[in-house]
Amino acid sequence: MTPAELSRTVLRSVRGAVEEQELSVPVPARIVVQPPPRPGCGDYASNVALQLARQAGRPAREVAEILRKRLIGSAGITRVEIAGPGFLNFTLGDGAQVALVREVLAQGDGYGDRSVRSVRGGVGGDVAGPGSSPEPAPGPGPAPSARDVVVAEALARIQAAAGVAAVGGGQVAPVATPPDLTALIARLGVDEARWVLLRPAAQDPVRVPERPVQRESNPRFRVQYAAARARALGRYAQELGFGSEPGDVGAPARGEAVGEGPSDGSVSAAQNLQTFHTLLATYPSAIETAARLRAPDRVVRHLEATADAFFRWHDICPPLPVGEQKPLAVHRARLALAEAGGTVLANGLRLLGISAPEHL
């Protein structure tokens, strides 16, 4: 079950409660589900009961209990719990993560963008130079997709990048006029120029490095490297004679202790895996939020978090056999998850007009 499917399931429970007069509230247009604030609180959470409580004239926990009873037993949902003042926490079935990987791999370049109608214009090639603009939307027709809005807003952000700050010797000095984009591209390269202009929120200053750094301390490089690493794993697996197959990635390979909390108190492998899955599942909603708020920086931050989660999981649960070990079913499942992560990272990079190289 994806977050969108879970949202629709919760919405049906609200509609059913209203139709059967358990609740007297207007049915909302959509229900927001998102990762819980703390590990161990299920896979997703929603504050819908708190939102409906005032309109219903009832305590939020009472509203949550009405919805909880309706949601118990729903396909794909293993457990529904009420937390705090009335939050609903959802734990999905074991097959949900496998289904997510299958969905990402099946949709490929289209994951996160079921309605592709590009208004990219000059965005896809060179970084927008002076005078370039997105293609106008063609005549009457469907409204632009969330992806279209993010692409157009990213281009506008690049073209209007005023107040850029120059970074040198650890000092940040504001620049009174917009940068010469041609010079900025020549200095940093297309990918780095786009990243530094799109990464800050609209109200935050842009900081331009003296030169791009090709190491993991650079967030842009780290995201590109994670995408390239995911592809490289597939190539190495082919050389070893096996391919990917979505399945249980948590089952320990020989000699590993996957899912056990490390003795130093750091985040466990199971929590890393849950975080990684959640970021893949919420990539489409991240694009929708970025479009609604006209904030391409939200896509940038989602990609950074996804790359970091990929490396944390990859380092604990290697997708490839180690040493003389033969490929097992768990390696095929991990390879599929790694490929799904690479797909999301590559899609996000291309969305922002940044390359997703096969080799890095």
Side-chain angles (χ1 to χ4, degrees), residues 1-6 8 44 95-114 246 277 280-282 284 336 339-340 343-344 347:
M1 174 176 285
T2 65
E5 291 169 340
L6 177 58
R8 289 192 291 269
Y44 295 97
Q97 295 179 342
V98 177
L100 169 65
V101 173
R102 290 190 188 281
E103 179 183 5
V104 175
L105 296 179
Q107 294 189 23
D109 293 348
Y111 181 66
D113 180 30
R114 292 188 176 89
H277 270 117
L280 300 188
T282 54
E339 290 175 345
T343 297
V344 167
N347 288 357

Side-chain angles (χ1 to χ4, degrees), residues 109-119 145 147-148:
D109 293 348
Y111 181 66
D113 180 30
R114 292 188 176 89
S115 174
V116 180
R117 186 165 62 87
S118 177
V119 294
S145 68
R147 180 180 185 275
D148 295 338

Side-chain angles (χ1 to χ4, degrees), residues 226-323:
R229 175 62 181 166
R231 291 186 175 92
L233 289 170
R235 294 194 297 270
Y236 297 151
Q238 286 184 345
E239 294 176 3
L240 294 173
F242 77 99
S244 63
E245 177 59 40
D248 182 4
V249 300
R254 193 175 296 114
E256 297 176 346
V258 179
E260 296 181 5
S263 58
D264 63 0
S266 59
V267 177
S268 71
Q271 290 171 333
N272 281 328
L273 176 62
Q274 181 179 355
T275 298
F276 188 30
H277 270 117
T278 299
L279 287 164
L280 300 188
T282 54
Y283 171 70
S285 61
I287 295 178
E288 292 176 3
T289 301
R292 187 173 70 255
L293 301 178
R294 295 190 174 274
D297 51 281
R298 286 179 172 259
V299 178
V300 174
R301 290 196 291 276
H302 194 90
L303 294 179
E304 290 182 7
T306 303
D308 291 342
F310 168 80
F311 284 123
R312 287 195 301 267
W313 166 77
H314 168 282
D315 292 345
I316 297 174
C317 305
L320 300 180
V322 178

